[in-house]
Amino acid sequence: MKAMLIDSTRCVGCRACQVACKEWNELKAEETTFFAGKGYQNPRDLAADTWTLITYNEVEVNNRFDWVFGKLQCFHCNVPGCVSACPVHALEKTEAGPVIYHAGICLGCRFCQLACPFKVPRFEWNKVIPEITKCTMCADRVAAGLEPACAKVCPTDAIVFGDRDELIHEAESRIKSNPTTYVHHIFGKDEAGGTCVMHISNVPFEEIGFDTKIPMEPIASKVEHAMKPLPYVLTGLGLVLGGVSWVVNRKKEISKESESGKEG
Amino acid sequence: MTNHWIDMINTDVAMVMGSNMVENHPIASKWLTRAKEKGAVIINCDPRYTRTSSFADIYCKFRSGTDIAFVNGMINYALQNGLININYVLNYTNASFIISEKYSFNDGLFSGYDPAKRSYDKTNWAYELDGGGIPRRDLTLQHPRCIYQLMKKHFQRYDIDTVCKITGAPRDTYEKVCRTFTSTWAPNRVATWLYAMGTTQHTHGTQNIRTYAILQLLMGNVGLAGGGINALRGESNVQGATDMGLLFHLLPGYLASPTKAEQTLEDYKKTYTPKTNDPKSANWWGNYPKYIVSLLKAWYGDDATAQNDFCFNYVPKRSADYSHISLFEAMYEGKLKGLFLFGQNPAVGGPNTNKEIAALEKLEWMVAVDIFETDTSVFWKRPGVNPADNQTEVFLLPACSSVEKEGSVVNSGRWAQWRYKAVEPVGESVSDLWIVDALHKSIKKEYASSGVFPEPIVKLNWNYGNGDEIDRHKEPDVHLVAREVNGSFHKDKDVMILKDLKSFKKGDQAPSFAALQDDGSTSCGSWIYCGSYPGHTPEKNNMARRIKEDAINGIGLYPQWAWCWPVNRRIIYNRASCDINGKPFDPKRWVVRWNETAGKWEGDVPDGPWPPKDKYPFIMKPDGHAWLFAANLNDGPLPEHYEPLESPVKNIMSSQEINPAIKLWHKTNPEGNPVGDAKRYPIIGTTYRVSEHWQAGAMTRNIPWLVELVPDVFVEMGVDLSRQKNIANGDRVIIETARGKMEAYALVTRRFEPFQLNGKIVHEIGIIWHFGYNGLARGDSANVLTAHIGDANTMIPEYKAFLCDVYKKNGGAA
């Protein structure tokens, strides 16, 4: 299974990745003013037309000031919550790794947005027939034996693409060789049951824009627990409430009949 | 660059100073990443914590305009602690050379200064010669007037305390920088110096570079893999441009452009051809006559003969400095009628924008050649003006981009890489080659009916495939141009190249500049390119080679990938990478080595084919040695700290506040050139770039994806200053200098910290200069703030340090 490893110690915040993503996926530029977040951040957030975003963070690490950059995008979970939540199977985890979506099938119901622990999928608010969009890890490029556009253009190899197991090994080796540089954790190795976009960093991941309160098991497992009984619950509830309603109505009819009976 | 891009992977210490390399040359960061993987340490020195600083291992802040003090302190650190490669310094530099008794230095001035002319009589700094006309030397380095001793005395004044007082660098970090860098004195350790506009764009820019050269020579790092003095060139083909003589003071191949003082070819040869009496000095510039004559033959062909001085009298003789500032001052005075702008946007990129636009308004005509409509090309209808008020006739010639035409582009490593046309030009746009070809033919036609002294134009040897035809659909043959630049034989000739006699036929392409002659038998459009295209067919175009095999020394030379000048030598001065016996100082990363059995050098093309003991390594100097002491520069043979023209503090090194050799335009041309003082403008201002935009923004401010990232001009300032001024992040502010004011968004950041200077706290702010009034993204140009003041040797404007004030837009001055 393919994955990406993003190393914040190599990222220089140049945003060649943001531009390459828009170029490859033919996404429109958003209208922006000044900067919409800390540092040079633009646009404000991931959006229908913005599938990856660099954050700019002035942080203190080991009593030393540093400017550290984070790359936000879909994590391409191994067992995606969005895939489980989607009622029409518009989202799909491919064998190669990327979590893709079939735009034509998407209902626009936005359950995936609720299910995603990283809050990634975005909605096309501007369109008449809106759909969900997100990073596809350039599944089309990957299928053709190429690396994702962002990995391709990254000038410092902050983004590397390869086999998930090899990348985990690489990440572990970098942390081992530079124990005082890195936070001793690979973000995405186990989060949400493991993801195909993993990060290593010289500062805590919250400091570069990530929500680290992510459960270590697949969201899907939680979603499934909730979703599986749903048809039974709904049907059961329907039957029970229907039954109650019948009983109540029956009682009303009976009392009406007895009242009219009294008068007649 | 003395080295090349890939070579960075070989270094132990990369000093990025005077450059924000990761920001502006991000692709090249790949090589620094590889170097880091191999254990290299990256040091970055900059007034502001940049993207490069975040990439580096050590960051040291220092005040804009104080680079000389900073590096002079490092030189002093090396000298005081004996951290120099003595073998290299003794044998390969002029450290042991003895200087004339007339030399002295006192209170910021070298001997020979004329305060009225603001210039030096450089004969006061000459070598002391022996009876044979060869510079006297003291190989024990004890003689009080030997350069080594003069240097110790000069640099002693730059002790760490003094340096920190001037620069505001934190003492412990500065010491760490000194320690780390000077560790490369050892023969098996090497450092590279990477610099750009932060170095050059000062009134003492040339001397900034001199500090690097001196330090690198003391370390013995010049000529070695992973070493050198490496300018990261800015524009995509600026290296090619300067190679082809596009600077006003040069002819192609870095030959001097003749001045009024050289009326004949003999005068010219005498003035510019250096001589030496030392048989061990190769004195390669001694070949000057061959290169100038071959150039004239390329320009005037058969018409150029020995009898007519090879048409030397057709070459314009300069009587002035025609650099950017000078041209615009002349333009402002109404002395220039017309202007051609090839891919240039001075309304955004030129200093003192208000004055320069006022100058443009005086033109009778302007021809802008560009791929987009630029701010300059629409200066006549810019916001706030009525086009009817302006009399300039403006033409816009649409040029096509680099992917829509064929030709070569030269990178900072001197690699000329041939490129092919990928797509047809859009609309009516055409290549620069077509435009210049058509211009020449049109002007030539006009001369048939009128004009004065037509010969220099009409007699030009000019045929690039289309005769006299101007046809929009017929592209001149760029291969013909390239072959002419390479050079060829105009008659059969036998030539001695080193020890071999080679026979050439009329029409043969020249194989290298060693074959060029001064008798008119050869022509060559740029002697340093001789060898780039040594045959008649595209297969012989060395610039088009793409072979990925490295050389036997495996240091990333890739000798058959494209072609570099000179003669495909990838690391210049590489002879100095070996000791006097031809043995590499650093066998792990050897560049060249002498093979005794074969009787020749192997590895890179050697910088000097001669056996090890025959010649000194620095062959481009008449004395064959690298110059620690450089007596040819206008502002002194050794670097000395002077404050920028506008500075918040007094110079504590001497009573010379500013560079004594710079031209004071505000005195000679006061109109439009006011100078600000620290009372009114207490904050240091500087200008710089971001990754997302390119130069004057004509291209990038019209690309939506880039505009999305950086849509507005902004000024970065520190937290303390913003509190003082009650400015919050995102506020609209005004930045003002004596010359003008601009509006921008304020970006409050911890990356700019105030400087503690000799008891005074000084703030610095920086504005990106990519913006102008034309394009999808618009904003004020930072260059309304900068001044018409330039370097003492090059006249490059001091964009990097000036005085300003900043305040909230609706609050007036704070």
Side-chain angles (χ1 to χ4, degrees), chain A residues 13 15 34-42 54 56 67, chain B residues 23 48 51 688 690 692 709-710 714 716 747 751 768:
Chain A
R15 297 189 282 193
F34 184 48
F35 298 115
K38 292 183 295 174
Y40 299 163
Q41 184 172 325
N42 254 336
I54 297 294
Y56 292 77
W67 202 20
Chain B
E23 183 93 47
R48 171 185 62 123
R51 278 153 155 153
Y688 41 70
V690 285
E692 295 84 351
L709 299 177
V710 181
F714 62 93
E716 291 183 307
L747 192 143
R751 293 175 290 105
I768 62 170

PDB file of all heavy atoms in Angstrom, chain A residues 13 15 34-42 54 56 67, chain B residues 23 48 51 688 690 692 709-710 714 716 747 751 768:
ATOM      1  N   GLY A  13       7.964  25.686   3.615  1.00  0.00           N
ATOM      2  CA  GLY A  13       6.782  26.521   3.446  1.00  0.00           C
ATOM      3  C   GLY A  13       6.702  27.219   2.102  1.00  0.00           C
ATOM      4  O   GLY A  13       6.053  28.249   1.981  1.00  0.00           O
ATOM      5  N   ARG A  15       5.223  26.262  -0.625  1.00  0.00           N
ATOM      6  CA  ARG A  15       3.895  26.056  -1.209  1.00  0.00           C
ATOM      7  C   ARG A  15       3.886  25.662  -2.673  1.00  0.00           C
ATOM      8  O   ARG A  15       2.875  25.802  -3.353  1.00  0.00           O
ATOM      9  CB  ARG A  15       2.988  27.276  -0.979  1.00  0.00           C
ATOM     10  CG  ARG A  15       2.752  27.482   0.490  1.00  0.00           C
ATOM     11  CD  ARG A  15       1.719  28.514   0.761  1.00  0.00           C
ATOM     12  NE  ARG A  15       2.239  29.864   0.605  1.00  0.00           N
ATOM     13  CZ  ARG A  15       1.600  30.946   1.032  1.00  0.00           C
ATOM     14  NH1 ARG A  15       0.438  30.821   1.653  1.00  0.00           N
ATOM     15  NH2 ARG A  15       2.116  32.133   0.838  1.00  0.00           N
ATOM     16  N   PHE A  34      -4.516  39.835   1.854  1.00  0.00           N
ATOM     17  CA  PHE A  34      -3.436  39.729   2.850  1.00  0.00           C
ATOM     18  C   PHE A  34      -3.232  38.235   3.160  1.00  0.00           C
ATOM     19  O   PHE A  34      -2.958  37.459   2.266  1.00  0.00           O
ATOM     20  CB  PHE A  34      -3.798  40.553   4.079  1.00  0.00           C
ATOM     21  CG  PHE A  34      -2.713  40.585   5.136  1.00  0.00           C
ATOM     22  CD1 PHE A  34      -1.403  40.851   4.803  1.00  0.00           C
ATOM     23  CD2 PHE A  34      -3.007  40.332   6.479  1.00  0.00           C
ATOM     24  CE1 PHE A  34      -0.385  40.868   5.767  1.00  0.00           C
ATOM     25  CE2 PHE A  34      -2.001  40.357   7.447  1.00  0.00           C
ATOM     26  CZ  PHE A  34      -0.707  40.619   7.098  1.00  0.00           C
ATOM     27  N   PHE A  35      -3.293  37.849   4.402  1.00  0.00           N
ATOM     28  CA  PHE A  35      -3.169  36.439   4.733  1.00  0.00           C
ATOM     29  C   PHE A  35      -4.328  36.053   5.630  1.00  0.00           C
ATOM     30  O   PHE A  35      -4.842  36.872   6.386  1.00  0.00           O
ATOM     31  CB  PHE A  35      -1.819  36.160   5.410  1.00  0.00           C
ATOM     32  CG  PHE A  35      -0.655  36.475   4.513  1.00  0.00           C
ATOM     33  CD1 PHE A  35       0.228  37.488   4.832  1.00  0.00           C
ATOM     34  CD2 PHE A  35      -0.473  35.776   3.325  1.00  0.00           C
ATOM     35  CE1 PHE A  35       1.293  37.789   3.998  1.00  0.00           C
ATOM     36  CE2 PHE A  35       0.582  36.075   2.477  1.00  0.00           C
ATOM     37  CZ  PHE A  35       1.459  37.092   2.815  1.00  0.00           C
ATOM     38  N   ALA A  36      -4.742  34.807   5.505  1.00  0.00           N
ATOM     39  CA  ALA A  36      -5.974  34.390   6.177  1.00  0.00           C
ATOM     40  C   ALA A  36      -5.716  33.565   7.420  1.00  0.00           C
ATOM     41  O   ALA A  36      -6.609  32.957   7.958  1.00  0.00           O
ATOM     42  CB  ALA A  36      -6.839  33.615   5.203  1.00  0.00           C
ATOM     43  N   GLY A  37      -4.487  33.507   7.840  1.00  0.00           N
ATOM     44  CA  GLY A  37      -4.180  32.732   9.035  1.00  0.00           C
ATOM     45  C   GLY A  37      -2.869  33.252   9.573  1.00  0.00           C
ATOM     46  O   GLY A  37      -2.440  34.344   9.222  1.00  0.00           O
ATOM     47  N   LYS A  38      -2.200  32.457  10.365  1.00  0.00           N
ATOM     48  CA  LYS A  38      -0.908  32.907  10.890  1.00  0.00           C
ATOM     49  C   LYS A  38       0.111  32.964   9.750  1.00  0.00           C
ATOM     50  O   LYS A  38       0.022  32.199   8.786  1.00  0.00           O
ATOM     51  CB  LYS A  38      -0.414  31.930  11.965  1.00  0.00           C
ATOM     52  CG  LYS A  38      -1.257  31.946  13.223  1.00  0.00           C
ATOM     53  CD  LYS A  38      -0.688  31.017  14.278  1.00  0.00           C
ATOM     54  CE  LYS A  38      -0.772  29.568  13.795  1.00  0.00           C
ATOM     55  NZ  LYS A  38      -0.094  28.640  14.735  1.00  0.00           N
ATOM     56  N   GLY A  39       1.058  33.863   9.866  1.00  0.00           N
ATOM     57  CA  GLY A  39       2.122  33.933   8.869  1.00  0.00           C
ATOM     58  C   GLY A  39       1.564  34.222   7.486  1.00  0.00           C
ATOM     59  O   GLY A  39       0.772  35.131   7.302  1.00  0.00           O
ATOM     60  N   TYR A  40       1.969  33.398   6.514  1.00  0.00           N
ATOM     61  CA  TYR A  40       1.583  33.626   5.129  1.00  0.00           C
ATOM     62  C   TYR A  40       0.405  32.748   4.716  1.00  0.00           C
ATOM     63  O   TYR A  40       0.129  32.597   3.529  1.00  0.00           O
ATOM     64  CB  TYR A  40       2.759  33.299   4.196  1.00  0.00           C
ATOM     65  CG  TYR A  40       4.022  34.110   4.380  1.00  0.00           C
ATOM     66  CD1 TYR A  40       5.227  33.660   3.850  1.00  0.00           C
ATOM     67  CD2 TYR A  40       4.042  35.322   5.069  1.00  0.00           C
ATOM     68  CE1 TYR A  40       6.400  34.379   3.995  1.00  0.00           C
ATOM     69  CE2 TYR A  40       5.212  36.044   5.220  1.00  0.00           C
ATOM     70  CZ  TYR A  40       6.391  35.569   4.679  1.00  0.00           C
ATOM     71  OH  TYR A  40       7.561  36.272   4.827  1.00  0.00           O
ATOM     72  N   GLN A  41      -0.309  32.134   5.662  1.00  0.00           N
ATOM     73  CA  GLN A  41      -1.340  31.171   5.301  1.00  0.00           C
ATOM     74  C   GLN A  41      -2.406  31.746   4.368  1.00  0.00           C
ATOM     75  O   GLN A  41      -2.982  32.782   4.616  1.00  0.00           O
ATOM     76  CB  GLN A  41      -2.027  30.627   6.560  1.00  0.00           C
ATOM     77  CG  GLN A  41      -3.044  29.549   6.239  1.00  0.00           C
ATOM     78  CD  GLN A  41      -3.589  28.866   7.471  1.00  0.00           C
ATOM     79  OE1 GLN A  41      -2.850  28.675   8.442  1.00  0.00           O
ATOM     80  NE2 GLN A  41      -4.852  28.512   7.456  1.00  0.00           N
ATOM     81  N   ASN A  42      -2.635  31.068   3.278  1.00  0.00           N
ATOM     82  CA  ASN A  42      -3.697  31.393   2.326  1.00  0.00           C
ATOM     83  C   ASN A  42      -4.008  30.134   1.571  1.00  0.00           C
ATOM     84  O   ASN A  42      -3.081  29.410   1.189  1.00  0.00           O
ATOM     85  CB  ASN A  42      -3.238  32.477   1.339  1.00  0.00           C
ATOM     86  CG  ASN A  42      -3.884  33.827   1.647  1.00  0.00           C
ATOM     87  OD1 ASN A  42      -4.947  33.894   2.254  1.00  0.00           O
ATOM     88  ND2 ASN A  42      -3.243  34.885   1.225  1.00  0.00           N
ATOM     89  N   ILE A  54      -0.749  24.863   3.640  1.00  0.00           N
ATOM     90  CA  ILE A  54       0.429  24.935   4.508  1.00  0.00           C
ATOM     91  C   ILE A  54       0.165  25.922   5.633  1.00  0.00           C
ATOM     92  O   ILE A  54      -0.358  27.023   5.390  1.00  0.00           O
ATOM     93  CB  ILE A  54       1.660  25.399   3.696  1.00  0.00           C
ATOM     94  CG1 ILE A  54       2.006  24.380   2.605  1.00  0.00           C
ATOM     95  CG2 ILE A  54       2.869  25.622   4.602  1.00  0.00           C
ATOM     96  CD1 ILE A  54       2.468  23.041   3.132  1.00  0.00           C
ATOM     97  N   TYR A  56       1.740  28.187   8.902  1.00  0.00           N
ATOM     98  CA  TYR A  56       2.984  28.867   9.281  1.00  0.00           C
ATOM     99  C   TYR A  56       2.986  29.089  10.777  1.00  0.00           C
ATOM    100  O   TYR A  56       2.100  29.743  11.309  1.00  0.00           O
ATOM    101  CB  TYR A  56       3.082  30.212   8.548  1.00  0.00           C
ATOM    102  CG  TYR A  56       3.265  30.027   7.065  1.00  0.00           C
ATOM    103  CD1 TYR A  56       2.196  29.677   6.247  1.00  0.00           C
ATOM    104  CD2 TYR A  56       4.536  30.142   6.490  1.00  0.00           C
ATOM    105  CE1 TYR A  56       2.382  29.460   4.891  1.00  0.00           C
ATOM    106  CE2 TYR A  56       4.719  29.937   5.142  1.00  0.00           C
ATOM    107  CZ  TYR A  56       3.645  29.588   4.349  1.00  0.00           C
ATOM    108  OH  TYR A  56       3.836  29.366   3.013  1.00  0.00           O
ATOM    109  N   TRP A  67      10.593  28.547  12.875  1.00  0.00           N
ATOM    110  CA  TRP A  67       9.437  28.760  12.019  1.00  0.00           C
ATOM    111  C   TRP A  67       9.180  27.407  11.381  1.00  0.00           C
ATOM    112  O   TRP A  67      10.016  26.929  10.610  1.00  0.00           O
ATOM    113  CB  TRP A  67       9.795  29.805  10.958  1.00  0.00           C
ATOM    114  CG  TRP A  67       8.656  30.523  10.328  1.00  0.00           C
ATOM    115  CD1 TRP A  67       7.398  30.657  10.795  1.00  0.00           C
ATOM    116  CD2 TRP A  67       8.710  31.261   9.105  1.00  0.00           C
ATOM    117  NE1 TRP A  67       6.648  31.427   9.952  1.00  0.00           N
ATOM    118  CE2 TRP A  67       7.428  31.807   8.899  1.00  0.00           C
ATOM    119  CE3 TRP A  67       9.706  31.510   8.158  1.00  0.00           C
ATOM    120  CZ2 TRP A  67       7.116  32.598   7.806  1.00  0.00           C
ATOM    121  CZ3 TRP A  67       9.394  32.289   7.062  1.00  0.00           C
ATOM    122  CH2 TRP A  67       8.106  32.826   6.893  1.00  0.00           C
TER     123      TRP A  67
ATOM    124  N   GLU B  23      14.178  30.387   0.028  1.00  0.00           N
ATOM    125  CA  GLU B  23      13.045  31.181  -0.439  1.00  0.00           C
ATOM    126  C   GLU B  23      13.094  31.334  -1.945  1.00  0.00           C
ATOM    127  O   GLU B  23      12.114  31.134  -2.642  1.00  0.00           O
ATOM    128  CB  GLU B  23      13.147  32.577   0.197  1.00  0.00           C
ATOM    129  CG  GLU B  23      12.015  33.533  -0.108  1.00  0.00           C
ATOM    130  CD  GLU B  23      10.936  33.464   0.946  1.00  0.00           C
ATOM    131  OE1 GLU B  23      11.282  33.499   2.141  1.00  0.00           O
ATOM    132  OE2 GLU B  23       9.750  33.361   0.597  1.00  0.00           O
ATOM    133  N   ARG B  48      16.730  38.889   9.346  1.00  0.00           N
ATOM    134  CA  ARG B  48      15.400  38.368   9.652  1.00  0.00           C
ATOM    135  C   ARG B  48      15.452  36.852   9.583  1.00  0.00           C
ATOM    136  O   ARG B  48      16.257  36.281   8.833  1.00  0.00           O
ATOM    137  CB  ARG B  48      14.451  38.934   8.584  1.00  0.00           C
ATOM    138  CG  ARG B  48      13.043  38.380   8.543  1.00  0.00           C
ATOM    139  CD  ARG B  48      12.280  38.962   7.347  1.00  0.00           C
ATOM    140  NE  ARG B  48      12.900  38.600   6.090  1.00  0.00           N
ATOM    141  CZ  ARG B  48      12.297  37.967   5.093  1.00  0.00           C
ATOM    142  NH1 ARG B  48      11.036  37.590   5.205  1.00  0.00           N
ATOM    143  NH2 ARG B  48      12.944  37.695   3.980  1.00  0.00           N
ATOM    144  N   ARG B  51      12.754  31.653   5.584  1.00  0.00           N
ATOM    145  CA  ARG B  51      12.561  30.238   5.282  1.00  0.00           C
ATOM    146  C   ARG B  51      13.899  29.510   5.277  1.00  0.00           C
ATOM    147  O   ARG B  51      13.989  28.340   5.639  1.00  0.00           O
ATOM    148  CB  ARG B  51      11.863  30.096   3.921  1.00  0.00           C
ATOM    149  CG  ARG B  51      10.345  30.274   3.993  1.00  0.00           C
ATOM    150  CD  ARG B  51       9.770  30.786   2.683  1.00  0.00           C
ATOM    151  NE  ARG B  51       8.366  30.416   2.522  1.00  0.00           N
ATOM    152  CZ  ARG B  51       7.486  31.090   1.796  1.00  0.00           C
ATOM    153  NH1 ARG B  51       7.855  32.174   1.150  1.00  0.00           N
ATOM    154  NH2 ARG B  51       6.230  30.676   1.707  1.00  0.00           N
ATOM    155  N   TYR B 688      12.981  42.678   0.054  1.00  0.00           N
ATOM    156  CA  TYR B 688      13.330  41.306  -0.293  1.00  0.00           C
ATOM    157  C   TYR B 688      12.187  40.638  -1.041  1.00  0.00           C
ATOM    158  O   TYR B 688      11.218  41.303  -1.410  1.00  0.00           O
ATOM    159  CB  TYR B 688      13.696  40.505   0.958  1.00  0.00           C
ATOM    160  CG  TYR B 688      12.829  40.735   2.182  1.00  0.00           C
ATOM    161  CD1 TYR B 688      11.516  40.297   2.244  1.00  0.00           C
ATOM    162  CD2 TYR B 688      13.351  41.396   3.297  1.00  0.00           C
ATOM    163  CE1 TYR B 688      10.744  40.509   3.376  1.00  0.00           C
ATOM    164  CE2 TYR B 688      12.590  41.600   4.439  1.00  0.00           C
ATOM    165  CZ  TYR B 688      11.288  41.159   4.474  1.00  0.00           C
ATOM    166  OH  TYR B 688      10.521  41.362   5.611  1.00  0.00           O
ATOM    167  N   VAL B 690       9.664  36.951  -1.945  1.00  0.00           N
ATOM    168  CA  VAL B 690       9.045  35.734  -1.423  1.00  0.00           C
ATOM    169  C   VAL B 690       9.070  34.675  -2.512  1.00  0.00           C
ATOM    170  O   VAL B 690       9.153  35.003  -3.694  1.00  0.00           O
ATOM    171  CB  VAL B 690       7.586  35.956  -0.959  1.00  0.00           C
ATOM    172  CG1 VAL B 690       7.548  36.708   0.363  1.00  0.00           C
ATOM    173  CG2 VAL B 690       6.757  36.667  -2.012  1.00  0.00           C
ATOM    174  N   GLU B 692       6.724  32.975  -3.619  1.00  0.00           N
ATOM    175  CA  GLU B 692       5.523  32.943  -4.440  1.00  0.00           C
ATOM    176  C   GLU B 692       5.517  33.950  -5.581  1.00  0.00           C
ATOM    177  O   GLU B 692       4.718  33.825  -6.504  1.00  0.00           O
ATOM    178  CB  GLU B 692       4.294  33.169  -3.549  1.00  0.00           C
ATOM    179  CG  GLU B 692       4.036  32.056  -2.530  1.00  0.00           C
ATOM    180  CD  GLU B 692       4.844  32.197  -1.243  1.00  0.00           C
ATOM    181  OE1 GLU B 692       5.744  33.071  -1.196  1.00  0.00           O
ATOM    182  OE2 GLU B 692       4.585  31.437  -0.297  1.00  0.00           O
ATOM    183  N   LEU B 709      -1.957  32.942  -3.107  1.00  0.00           N
ATOM    184  CA  LEU B 709      -1.037  32.761  -1.978  1.00  0.00           C
ATOM    185  C   LEU B 709      -0.582  34.099  -1.397  1.00  0.00           C
ATOM    186  O   LEU B 709      -0.586  34.299  -0.191  1.00  0.00           O
ATOM    187  CB  LEU B 709       0.188  31.955  -2.412  1.00  0.00           C
ATOM    188  CG  LEU B 709      -0.100  30.535  -2.920  1.00  0.00           C
ATOM    189  CD1 LEU B 709       1.195  29.872  -3.382  1.00  0.00           C
ATOM    190  CD2 LEU B 709      -0.760  29.690  -1.849  1.00  0.00           C
ATOM    191  N   VAL B 710      -0.148  34.991  -2.246  1.00  0.00           N
ATOM    192  CA  VAL B 710       0.318  36.310  -1.788  1.00  0.00           C
ATOM    193  C   VAL B 710      -0.376  37.380  -2.629  1.00  0.00           C
ATOM    194  O   VAL B 710       0.156  37.792  -3.661  1.00  0.00           O
ATOM    195  CB  VAL B 710       1.854  36.452  -1.899  1.00  0.00           C
ATOM    196  CG1 VAL B 710       2.310  37.823  -1.402  1.00  0.00           C
ATOM    197  CG2 VAL B 710       2.549  35.360  -1.095  1.00  0.00           C
ATOM    198  N   PHE B 714       3.024  43.485   1.598  1.00  0.00           N
ATOM    199  CA  PHE B 714       3.025  43.555   3.055  1.00  0.00           C
ATOM    200  C   PHE B 714       4.411  43.926   3.567  1.00  0.00           C
ATOM    201  O   PHE B 714       5.413  43.725   2.877  1.00  0.00           O
ATOM    202  CB  PHE B 714       2.550  42.238   3.680  1.00  0.00           C
ATOM    203  CG  PHE B 714       3.411  41.052   3.365  1.00  0.00           C
ATOM    204  CD1 PHE B 714       4.445  40.662   4.223  1.00  0.00           C
ATOM    205  CD2 PHE B 714       3.200  40.304   2.218  1.00  0.00           C
ATOM    206  CE1 PHE B 714       5.250  39.566   3.934  1.00  0.00           C
ATOM    207  CE2 PHE B 714       3.985  39.208   1.919  1.00  0.00           C
ATOM    208  CZ  PHE B 714       5.016  38.833   2.780  1.00  0.00           C
ATOM    209  N   GLU B 716       6.938  43.378   6.933  1.00  0.00           N
ATOM    210  CA  GLU B 716       7.130  42.561   8.131  1.00  0.00           C
ATOM    211  C   GLU B 716       7.817  43.411   9.191  1.00  0.00           C
ATOM    212  O   GLU B 716       8.787  44.123   8.888  1.00  0.00           O
ATOM    213  CB  GLU B 716       7.969  41.330   7.796  1.00  0.00           C
ATOM    214  CG  GLU B 716       7.211  40.349   6.902  1.00  0.00           C
ATOM    215  CD  GLU B 716       7.974  39.070   6.610  1.00  0.00           C
ATOM    216  OE1 GLU B 716       9.120  39.159   6.151  1.00  0.00           O
ATOM    217  OE2 GLU B 716       7.419  37.982   6.833  1.00  0.00           O
ATOM    218  N   LEU B 747       2.554  42.834   8.741  1.00  0.00           N
ATOM    219  CA  LEU B 747       2.630  41.462   9.223  1.00  0.00           C
ATOM    220  C   LEU B 747       3.546  41.480  10.434  1.00  0.00           C
ATOM    221  O   LEU B 747       4.737  41.770  10.307  1.00  0.00           O
ATOM    222  CB  LEU B 747       3.180  40.536   8.122  1.00  0.00           C
ATOM    223  CG  LEU B 747       3.024  39.042   8.437  1.00  0.00           C
ATOM    224  CD1 LEU B 747       2.695  38.268   7.171  1.00  0.00           C
ATOM    225  CD2 LEU B 747       4.274  38.473   9.066  1.00  0.00           C
ATOM    226  N   ARG B 751       9.962  37.056  13.773  1.00  0.00           N
ATOM    227  CA  ARG B 751      11.165  36.782  12.989  1.00  0.00           C
ATOM    228  C   ARG B 751      12.039  38.007  12.775  1.00  0.00           C
ATOM    229  O   ARG B 751      13.187  37.885  12.334  1.00  0.00           O
ATOM    230  CB  ARG B 751      10.772  36.144  11.648  1.00  0.00           C
ATOM    231  CG  ARG B 751      10.167  34.746  11.824  1.00  0.00           C
ATOM    232  CD  ARG B 751       9.653  34.129  10.540  1.00  0.00           C
ATOM    233  NE  ARG B 751       8.465  34.796  10.043  1.00  0.00           N
ATOM    234  CZ  ARG B 751       8.468  35.617   9.006  1.00  0.00           C
ATOM    235  NH1 ARG B 751       9.593  35.859   8.351  1.00  0.00           N
ATOM    236  NH2 ARG B 751       7.362  36.193   8.608  1.00  0.00           N
ATOM    237  N   ILE B 768       8.297  43.415   0.799  1.00  0.00           N
ATOM    238  CA  ILE B 768       8.530  42.674  -0.442  1.00  0.00           C
ATOM    239  C   ILE B 768       8.347  43.648  -1.601  1.00  0.00           C
ATOM    240  O   ILE B 768       7.464  44.496  -1.579  1.00  0.00           O
ATOM    241  CB  ILE B 768       7.609  41.449  -0.578  1.00  0.00           C
ATOM    242  CG1 ILE B 768       6.128  41.821  -0.626  1.00  0.00           C
ATOM    243  CG2 ILE B 768       7.882  40.467   0.555  1.00  0.00           C
ATOM    244  CD1 ILE B 768       5.232  40.648  -1.006  1.00  0.00           C
TER     245      ILE B 768
END
